[in-house]
Amino acid sequence: MNNSKVRIPKEIAPDVFALAAQLYAQENQDYSLEEIMQAGAEVQIPPEVIQQAIQQIQAKQIRASDRQRKLKLILTSGGIGAAIALFGFWTYNTVASNATPNGRSLEANLPSPNLPNANRLDIPPGLPPATGTTFTGEVKQYLLNPEGKVDGLLLNNGLQVKFPPHMGDSLVGIITPNTKVSIFGDPGFSTRFGQEVKAQKITNSQTGQTLVEEPPTTAPQPPTLSNYSTFSAEGTAQNWLVGHRGEINGVIISNGTIVKFPPHVGEQLATMANIGDKIQAKGFGTRNRYGQILEATALSVNGQPVSLQPKAITVP
C-alpha cells in the first residue's frame, strides 16, 4: 500500500495531530531546548514566545517549592510556629464569626451600590433571616474558641450550637448548663459524630429570654500569647465535634476539656473515631471558669499517634 496516496479527512486531522503528539510525549519524557524550538517553528510559534513560556513554568515551579519550604519551616519552628498558629486560629475564628449562616461574609450580603433602590432589600438590623430550623434541647456545657471565649453550646442530644464569640458574655448571662433552650438557626451536615447549627437566635425556654445574633461593633483584637499556656489532657471521648460540613475538628473528653485540631486531621479519624476512645493530647490553650480548651500539637487515639501534619504539597 502506498502511504502517499492515503488521504486524511480534514475533519479528523486535528484529532490525529493531538493523538500523535500525546503518543510521542509518552515515548519521549524530556526534550532539549533545540527540539522544543524546532517543534514550535513547525507550527509557526516564535522562539521568543516558547522561551517566555518556559520561564513562566519554571517560575511557577520555584514558587510552589518555596511555599512548601516555608510550610515545613513553620511546622518545625517551635514557639514561632505556635505564635503563627495562634494568629491563624484567631484569623479563622474572626472570619467565621463574621460570616452569615450560608458561609458568605457580611459584606457579600450587602446590596450593590450600583443597584437601583427599588431592587435593594433592606433588612432591619438584629432580625434573623426568614429561613432556618428550630431545635430544642438541654445545655450540657459551653463551647469555647481558642481564646477561651464562649462561642456556643453543646446540648445533651449531641447538637453543637455555634454563636459569635463577641456575644459570649451575653450568652452566658441568660444561658447556663442544664438550661432548656430553643435554637433557631442554620443546620449543618448531620453525621454520626453530631451536627453543628449556626444559631441566629437562642431562647431560654424557662425564662423566655432571647438572644439574637448581631454583628460586632468593634474590630476583634488579635490573641495575646500571655493568655495561653501549654498543658496536656487525657480522657475518653464523650463528644466528637464537627464543623458545618460535618468534618471532625475536635473532641470533648471525659474531664470536660475541649481538644481542637484542624479538619485535615479529622479526615484521618473519620473511619476510626468512636465514643469512648482513649484520647491523649498535648498543646496550648486556655482555662477559665467556663471550661478549658486545648489546641493539639500532639494527639493519640487509643494509643495510636495521629499525624497533625498537613497533606504534602505536590510540586508540578
Side-chain angles (χ1 to χ4, degrees):
M1 181 177 180
N2 189 347
N3 290 336
S4 64
K5 295 182 180 180
V6 176
R7 305 295 297 174
I8 305 298
K10 65 178 181 179
E11 291 83 3
I12 69 170
D15 293 335
V16 171
F17 286 126
L19 180 57
Q22 181 180 355
L23 294 173
Y24 183 74
Q26 291 173 352
E27 296 179 0
N28 300 272
Q29 300 301 318
D30 54 54
Y31 307 92
S32 66
L33 180 59
E34 291 76 12
E35 290 174 329
I36 292 290
M37 293 293 186
Q38 182 180 356
E42 292 177 359
V43 292
Q44 298 182 345
I45 299 177
E48 60 271 18
V49 175
I50 293 178
Q51 188 67 48
Q52 182 180 5
I54 293 174
Q55 291 174 350
Q56 290 183 3
I57 291 174
Q58 289 176 335
K60 179 181 178 181
Q61 291 176 331
I62 292 173
R63 288 194 298 270
S65 177
D66 187 56
R67 286 196 299 270
Q68 187 178 28
R69 180 185 61 80
K70 289 180 179 179
L71 181 60
K72 290 181 179 178
L73 178 63
I74 291 173
L75 293 173
T76 57
S77 58
I80 296 177
I84 295 174
L86 272 177
F87 188 79
F89 289 132
W90 171 77
T91 303
Y92 172 83
N93 282 283
T94 298
V95 172
S97 65
N98 289 331
T100 60
N102 60 10
R104 294 180 297 174
S105 65
L106 292 172
E107 289 78 3
N109 289 288
L110 293 177
S112 169
N114 297 322
L115 291 176
N117 288 334
N119 293 332
R120 297 187 183 182
L121 180 61
D122 294 322
I123 301 176
L127 292 182
T131 58
T133 304
T134 299
F135 301 86
T136 59
E138 186 175 303
V139 177
K140 185 175 181 179
Q141 74 173 77
Y142 294 123
L143 297 178
L144 310 177
N145 71 0
E147 300 172 67
K149 296 180 179 179
V150 174
D151 70 345
L153 307 167
L154 174 67
L155 305 189
N156 59 358
N157 56 13
L159 201 67
Q160 300 160 32
V161 181
K162 301 298 289 185
F163 209 60
H166 70 270
M167 300 186 69
D169 290 342
S170 299
L171 181 62
V172 300
I174 68 169
I175 304 292
T176 59
N178 303 317
T179 299
K180 293 182 178 180
V181 294
S182 174
I183 309 296
F184 178 84
D186 178 32
F189 189 74
S190 179
T191 73
R192 71 182 181 93
F193 303 106
Q195 182 180 22
E196 181 191 81
V197 174
K198 292 181 179 179
Q200 301 165 28
K201 182 170 63 175
I202 298 178
T203 300
N204 184 322
S205 301
Q206 297 163 321
T207 66
Q209 293 175 289
T210 297
L211 192 61
V212 178
E213 177 193 7
E214 295 178 352
T217 56
T218 59
Q221 298 299 312
T224 303
L225 282 175
S226 59
N227 294 338
Y228 295 82
S229 61
T230 58
F231 60 95
S232 60
E234 182 176 341
T236 56
Q238 302 298 299
N239 292 90
W240 290 94
L241 301 177
V242 298
H244 209 63
R245 298 185 302 275
E247 70 279 13
I248 305 175
N249 57 23
V251 62
I252 299 178
I253 59 178
S254 47
N255 65 358
T257 300
I258 301 171
V259 178
K260 298 288 286 184
F261 43 76
H264 73 262
V265 177
E267 293 177 6
Q268 304 175 53
L269 301 173
T271 59
M272 58 177 285
N274 291 288
I275 300 299
D277 287 340
K278 183 178 180 180
I279 307 296
Q280 292 177 308
K282 294 180 181 179
F284 56 93
T286 56
R287 295 185 178 98
N288 56 37
R289 56 180 173 152
Y290 303 121
Q292 62 182 26
I293 181 169
L294 172 71
E295 289 286 351
T297 56
L299 178 69
S300 70
V301 178
N302 295 326
Q304 297 296 318
V306 177
S307 174
L308 301 182
Q309 301 289 338
K311 292 182 178 179
I313 301 174
T314 301
V315 180

